[in-house]
């Protein structure tokens, strides 16, 4: 997979070979991780995966069975740990904020973020979308907005720290809030989208 990512400018022939190599690896992983429990999965629509150790780096949704990817058969969800999943418990069912918050921080390596934020905000206008773009998307402005939102869309850079996953984070205008910072928020959104690299 890393080799395929490094070879983005490859010609069609090399790209076909790289795709075949990646699918072979994904099929071998599917054989080890999914096939043994396929009977227990049955026809369930949704899979919740709690990876451990190096499996945090594995795109389970891309696993290949020789005919299709896992995401084509099941909605694939991830939880960072079973203890955290249990700690979160059932979401509250009280009155819910319906307002949407759309946040974007573009730079020369991701210049289309501004356009994405504007289009998403237009689509969410009926929900009353608040837009925080570029220098306005500071932690002091974003955090209170997120805590009041029913729908959240973050379009910004992200980084995954495999050695210290809680140190992973997303880029705002003035800093990189980490997973630890995000866990401390009082979020009650129905829908959150992280649109950026390494957000899985």
């Amino acid at each position: 997979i890393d080799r395929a990512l490094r070879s983005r400018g490859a010609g069609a022939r090399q790209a076909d070979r790289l795709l075949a190599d990646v699918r072979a690896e994904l099929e071998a992983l599917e054989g080890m991780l999914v096939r043994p429990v396929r009977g227990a999965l049955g026809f369930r629509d949704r899979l919740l995966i709690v990876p451990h150790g190096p499996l945090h780096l594995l795109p389970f949704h891309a696993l290949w069975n020789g005919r299709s990817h896992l995401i084509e058969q099941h909605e694939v969800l991830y939880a960072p740990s079973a203890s955290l999943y249990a700690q979160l418990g059932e979401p509250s069912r009280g009155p819910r904020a319906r307002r949407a918050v759309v946040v974007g921080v573009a730079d020369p390596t991701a210049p289309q973020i501004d356009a994405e934020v504007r289009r998403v905000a237009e689509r969410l206008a009926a929900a009353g979308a608040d837009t925080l773009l570029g220098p306005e998307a500071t932690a002091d402005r974003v955090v209170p907005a997120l805590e009041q939102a029913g729908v959240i869309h973050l379009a910004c850079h992200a980084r995954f720290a495999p050695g210290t996953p809680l140190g992973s984070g997303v880029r705002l205008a003035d800093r990189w809030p980490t997973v630890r910072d995000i866990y401390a928020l009082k979020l009650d959104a129905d829908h959150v989208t992280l649109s950026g690299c390494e957000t899985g």
Side-chain angles (χ1 to χ4, degrees):
I1 291 171
D2 285 342
R3 192 175 71 222
L5 290 172
R6 286 194 305 269
S7 306
R8 286 181 182 159
R13 206 166 147 205
Q14 186 180 2
D16 288 344
R17 194 177 80 241
L18 287 168
L19 178 61
D21 289 350
V22 167
R23 280 192 168 160
E25 298 299 333
L26 292 171
E27 188 170 4
L29 289 165
E30 194 273 348
M32 289 186 281
L33 300 168
V34 177
R35 206 165 300 146
V37 296
R38 172 64 62 201
L41 296 178
F43 295 101
R44 288 178 174 81
D45 293 331
R46 181 176 293 165
L47 297 180
L48 174 66
I49 296 173
V50 182
H52 178 72
L55 295 180
H56 280 281
L57 300 172
L58 182 65
F60 280 85
H61 51 280
L63 294 180
W64 176 254
N65 66 8
R67 296 178 308 282
S68 62
H69 296 280
L70 189 61
I71 192 70
E72 296 176 69
Q73 304 150 37
H74 307 277
E75 178 185 6
V76 179
L77 306 172
Y78 297 89
S81 72
S83 59
L84 176 65
Y85 184 72
Q87 181 183 359
L88 293 175
E90 286 294 312
S92 66
R93 297 293 177 207
R96 302 185 66 78
R98 299 286 55 159
R99 197 146 185 84
V101 174
V102 186
V103 177
V105 180
D107 69 11
T109 63
Q112 295 300 317
I113 285 177
D114 289 353
E116 174 185 341
V117 166
R118 288 188 181 94
R119 289 194 69 188
V120 170
E122 284 173 19
R123 296 285 179 142
L124 296 173
D130 292 327
T131 303
L132 296 168
L133 190 57
E136 297 175 353
T138 63
D140 287 342
R141 295 189 71 187
V142 170
V143 168
L146 296 182
E147 291 183 335
Q148 300 299 314
V151 175
I152 297 169
H153 185 96
L154 295 175
C156 50
H157 288 291
R159 64 174 175 221
F160 175 62
T164 54
L166 294 178
S168 304
V170 294
R171 179 180 173 223
L172 296 181
D174 57 343
R175 65 185 185 92
W176 288 76
T178 65
V179 172
R180 280 188 194 87
D181 298 325
I182 293 166
Y183 281 162
L185 300 179
K186 293 177 173 60
L187 299 181
D188 196 26
D190 291 318
H191 183 89
V192 178
T193 298
L194 300 178
S195 175
C197 297
E198 300 185 27
T199 54

